[in-house]
Amino acid sequence: MHDFETCYKKTRRQLTNFDFHAKLPKSMAKFNLASAMDSDGPNRRGYDDIKALRAALTDSKRKTNKSEGEILVAACEDVAGKTIIGKITGWLYDTKDRVSAVKMMRHMYLMRMRGSQDVWVYSPPKSYTQWLYDEFEGMNKAGLETWSSEDDETYSESDKTAMADATQMAMAWCMKCQVKLSTPDAASKALVRKWFCAPGADDKAVEKASKTLGLGFKKICSVLNSNKLVLSDEPNDRAGGGWKDYAFVYKSEKMSVVYVQSATLSAAKGSKMWLAALTIVHELSHREMNTEDHRYDSDGKLSPSAGQGALSAAHAIQNADNWGYFAADMNGGLAGGTSLTVAGVA
Amino acid sequence: MIAPVEHGGLRYEALHWAKERGLGQNGGFVAAIDIASGKELWVQRIYEIVYGDKSPQKYDRFITTLTLIDGDTALAVTDQTGAVYRLDLGTRAVTLISAAPDTTPPPNPRKPAKAEPAEKKGFFGRLLGD
C-alpha cells in the first residue's frame, strides 16, 4: 500500500460492507462512517459521524479507563466468531482490517475554508511509518490494542489550520488567474511574458502561453473547489527521510491528494503563507498539467527574459515553480525583492 | 551552486539542471569546460536517477562536493545522500567509492512485534475451529 487512495478504497470497502456493520456493537454501528466516503473521495455529509466517533472514543476512554485500542478492538472484533456463520464472515473480514478502517476515519478532518469550500486532512499518528493496514499487519489482539491506541498525530491543530489557510490562498490565487487569463489585460499579459515568454516574444506567443495557463488554472481551480481535495501525510515517505521536503503528489493517483510535509508547514506558520500556497499550486500543476521540475526558485532566473542562463520559454511553461510564482505574482503575493531574485527580472 | 574545481586548464562543474538540456535528470552530471575558450568539452553522468510516480522533485539528487583526488587524476563526487563516486579524469570511468549511509530509522521500540504466523488451517479448518 503506497498511497492515500489505496488505503481509502480499502477502508470504504470495509465500511460499506453490510456484515461489517451488522457485527459492530450498537455503540459503533450508529456512526454511519460510510456516508463520508464517496467512490471519488470523502464527502462532507458524513463528517458529523466522524466527529461523533472521535467524541465517543474520548468519552469511552474516560468512562471505562480503557485505551483507545482496547475500545476499537472490542468494537471491531468478530462478535459472531463463535458461530459457523461468524467464522465464515470472520475469515472474510479480519478484525485488524476493521480496526484500520475505523482508525483511518478517526484521523480524518474536514477543515472549513472561507466561503463554502472545505479541504480534508488525513493526520495519522506520527509513530506510524506505513499505511494503516500495513501498520497492523501480523499483530495479535494485544498488539493491535496497543498500537491502535497511538493518537499523537502527524499534523497538530495549528498545522491543520495553516494547511487550510494555504489552500484557501491558493484557491483565491488560481481563481483570479483563471479570470484574468480568460481575457488578459495588459498587466496580465506582462506577467505572462515575465514568467513564460522569451524576450521579444510576439503577441501570438503570449496568447498561446495564456491559453495553456488558462486551461491549467481552470483544472486546478476545479480540484480546489471540489471539496474532495485531501491533504495527507504519507507515512512511508515521512519515515524514509522525506518529511523535510515541502510536498508532493502521486501523479497516477486518481483522487486529489497532496502530501504536505514539514517545509510547507514551517512556511505557513512562519510568516511565509504565500510560499505554502505557492507549494499547493506547484503540486497541483504536477497533477493537472503534468508539469516538470526543470528548475527551482532557489536557482533564480526562472523568467525566460532573465538573460544568460535563464530558463527557456519552452521549459518555463512546463516548470511547476513558474506556475506557482506566476499565480503568486498575479495576486500581488510576492515582495518585489522575491520576484526579482526568483525571476531574474523585475 | 557548488564550487567548481580547476585543474590542467579545465574547470569541472556539477551540472544541476540537466533536464533543461534534455539529459533526463536533475543532478548527477559533471561537465568539463576549457577555461581558456569557455567551451564545454564533455558532460559525464556520475549516477542514474530513476524517476517514479511522485512529484519529480522527490527524485532529483544533486552533487554536493567535487574534490580532486589520486594525484589530481580523478574527482571524488559526493551526492546529497552521502554516496561518493570516483570519476577518472582521463577515461571518464565512474566507480562507486562508498554507498550512501543507511538512513532507515530504527524500529519504534513501542511497536508491538508481529505475532508468530498461525498454522494455516484452510477454509474448513477455520470453520471447525479452535
Side-chain angles (χ1 to χ4, degrees), chain A residues 23-73:
Chain A
K23 283 184 290 187
L24 280 177
K26 282 182 182 172
S27 62
M28 286 287 172
K30 70 182 180 186
F31 304 123
N32 187 6
L33 299 175
S35 66
M37 307 189 86
D38 289 343
S39 60
D40 60 346
N43 190 309
R44 69 166 84 165
R45 72 173 171 272
Y47 190 57
D48 284 345
D49 288 275
I50 295 175
K51 285 193 292 187
L53 167 69
R54 271 197 291 273
L57 283 171
T58 304
D59 192 47
S60 188
K61 278 193 279 189
R62 185 175 51 80
K63 282 182 179 164
T64 64
N65 208 26
K66 287 183 175 175
S67 70
E68 181 169 315
E70 287 173 313
I71 296 162
L72 282 173
V73 172

Side-chain angles (χ1 to χ4, degrees), chain A residues 266-284:
Chain A
S266 299
K269 298 198 299 183
S271 78
K272 283 193 174 178
M273 184 59 79
W274 65 270
L275 187 53
L278 193 152
T279 301
I280 303 281
V281 179
H282 173 120
E283 293 305 329
L284 290 178

Side-chain angles (χ1 to χ4, degrees), chain A residues 151-342:
Chain A
D151 61 359
D152 184 13
E153 296 183 332
T154 307
Y155 302 122
S156 66
E157 285 304 313
S158 61
D159 289 341
K160 285 180 275 195
T161 302
M163 289 155 81
D165 290 347
T167 308
Q168 169 74 40
M169 183 180 275
M171 185 166 68
W173 286 1
C174 293
M175 287 174 75
K176 185 171 177 184
C177 286
Q178 192 186 345
V179 170
K180 289 284 187 182
L181 288 163
S182 62
T183 48
D185 56 16
S188 304
K189 284 180 183 172
L191 286 177
V192 172
R193 279 184 183 279
K194 174 180 173 181
W195 291 102
F196 297 102
C197 296
D202 59 19
D203 287 348
K204 201 172 173 183
V206 177
E207 195 178 313
K208 187 180 173 193
S210 300
K211 196 172 174 184
T212 303
L213 290 163
L215 175 68
F217 280 109
K218 185 178 177 185
K219 287 183 173 183
I220 293 170
C221 282
S222 173
V223 172
L224 289 166
N225 270 318
S226 67
N227 292 320
K228 292 196 181 297
L229 175 63
V230 179
L231 306 178
S232 177
D233 173 43
E234 211 289 34
N236 295 307
D237 189 90
R238 170 168 49 79
W243 182 241
K244 65 185 185 310
D245 298 335
Y246 278 90
F248 70 96
V249 295
Y250 283 110
K251 288 184 177 181
S252 66
E253 193 169 21
K254 288 192 178 67
M255 286 175 58
S256 301
V257 185
V258 176
Y259 300 94
V260 176
Q261 302 188 300
S262 70
T264 297
L265 301 174
S266 299
K269 298 198 299 183
S271 78
K272 283 193 174 178
M273 184 59 79
W274 65 270
L275 187 53
L278 193 152
T279 301
I280 303 281
V281 179
H282 173 120
E283 293 305 329
L284 290 178
S285 81
H286 282 316
R287 268 191 66 87
E288 302 304 315
M289 293 303 287
N290 202 27
T291 56
E292 265 289 349
D293 287 316
H294 288 297
R295 188 183 293 194
Y296 305 141
D297 54 359
S298 52
D299 278 69
K301 295 199 171 184
L302 291 187
S303 170
S305 303
Q308 193 177 5
L311 196 62
S312 71
H315 285 126
I317 197 72
Q318 298 171 348
N319 195 46
D321 255 2
N322 283 57
W323 284 69
Y325 275 91
F326 171 79
D329 211 2
M330 176 71 90
N331 286 269
L334 294 178
T338 303
S339 180
L340 181 59
T341 305
V342 174

